[in-house]
């Protein structure tokens, strides 16, 4: 199995670097999730070997409807590295991506380690601050088409993220805040933070549980992306995107224009 893991980590990492998608269905389509996560660790490890540093943790399938659509009963997760970070107001290099899409999220900034048992304690006790965020997602598979093990292996389609101004998490009821996603000044999606597992703090607790199951503790200084509050929208070249979460503020990014160098 080690040979398969290394081969597919090379293949998916190579697709991200070269911009040439992997045609499916692949050998990964029906492998056990443990093997898919082993591939994911290899993919992330190749980023780290090129100089990236670990920066956080992201969750996927935080919508019950999405879980049912994919036939799963739990969330999936991926890793964030500092090379994926886009500053608020910054440029997303969409020329380097295959199928770029963007979605609004809630982000947590940790001030203390967060490990197993967070479901039974107060995960906010480990949080320094909270912010509106966007995640840029991309799939290294042709046609943005994949099975559950394939998307897990592909680092849960993570490609980039940006966070707005941080503010203290205490004193803000995160459970049902309005969310707007605007593209070029036009409303593209509306939603609520309640779409994130019913409450983003539940997602934070789930992140701690899943990280612990994977042998990882969420570390101080890491960002945890709690999951999408609306459906993702395509991120077209030159588009300006703003995500607003009521009570938390906004975050903005602009996609690189057509003809920008890859």
């Amino acid at each position: 199995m080690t040979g398969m893991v290394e081969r597919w980590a090379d293949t998916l990492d190579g697709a991200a670097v070269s911009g040439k998608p992997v045609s499916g269905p692949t050998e990964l389509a029906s492998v056990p999730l443990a093997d898919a996560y082993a591939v994911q660790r290899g993919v992330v490890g190749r980023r780290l070997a090129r100089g990236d540093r670990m920066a956080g943790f992201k969750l996927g399938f935080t919508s019950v409807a999405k879980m049912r659509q994919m036939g799963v009963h739990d969330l999936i997760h991926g890793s964030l590295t500092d090379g994926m970070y886009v500053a608020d107001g910054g440029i997303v290099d969409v020329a380097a991506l295959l199928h770029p899409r963007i979605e609004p999220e809630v982000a947590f900034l940790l001030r203390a380690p967060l490990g197993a048992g967070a479901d039974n304690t107060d995960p906010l006790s480990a949080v320094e601050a909270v912010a509106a965020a966007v995640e840029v997602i991309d799939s290294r598979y042709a046609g943005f088409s994949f099975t559950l093990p394939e998307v897990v292996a592909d680092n849960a389609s993570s490609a980039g993220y940006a966070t707005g101004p941080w503010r203290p998490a205490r004193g803000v009821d995160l459970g049902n805040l309005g969310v707007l996603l605007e593209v070029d000044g036009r409303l593209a999606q509306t939603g609520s933070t309640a779409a994130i597992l019913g409450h983003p703090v539940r997602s934070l607790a789930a992140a701690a549980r899943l990280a612990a199951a994977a042998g990882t503790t969420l570390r101080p200084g890491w960002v945890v992306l709690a999951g999408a509050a609306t459906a993702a929208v395509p991120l077209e070249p030159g588009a300006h995107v703003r995500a607003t979460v009521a009570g938390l503020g906004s975050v903005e990014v602009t996609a690189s224009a057509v003809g920008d160098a890859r």
Side-chain angles (χ1 to χ4, degrees), residues 68-220:
R68 288 173 178 164
Q69 178 186 343
M70 295 299 292
V72 297
H73 304 286
D74 205 352
L75 315 181
I76 63 172
H77 60 83
S79 294
L80 304 175
T81 71
D82 62 350
M84 297 178 184
Y85 175 70
V86 179
D88 187 11
I91 303 295
V92 177
D93 182 11
V94 292
L97 304 177
L98 294 163
H99 315 287
R101 303 181 184 188
I102 194 165
E103 57 193 25
E105 305 222 2
V106 170
F108 295 98
L109 177 65
L110 300 183
R111 65 170 181 82
L114 187 58
D119 282 313
N120 301 313
T121 60
D122 178 11
L124 279 180
S125 65
V127 171
E128 177 72 25
V130 63
V134 289
E135 184 183 10
V136 179
I137 60 174
D138 190 26
S139 176
R140 273 52 74 165
Y141 301 105
F144 211 94
S145 177
F146 41 75
T147 64
L148 177 63
E150 286 173 324
V151 69
V152 165
D154 192 26
N155 197 27
S157 295
S158 191
Y161 70 100
T163 58
W166 295 102
R167 60 163 296 161
R170 293 294 183 186
V172 179
D173 183 357
L174 300 173
N176 188 23
L177 302 178
V179 178
L180 304 178
L181 186 68
E182 298 169 275
V183 179
D184 293 331
R186 295 185 294 273
L187 189 61
Q189 291 284 342
T190 63
S192 165
T193 56
I196 306 171
L197 277 190
H199 197 297
V201 174
R202 293 179 187 163
S203 191
L204 181 64
R209 172 178 59 82
L210 292 170
T216 300
T217 295
L218 304 178
R219 302 174 189 174

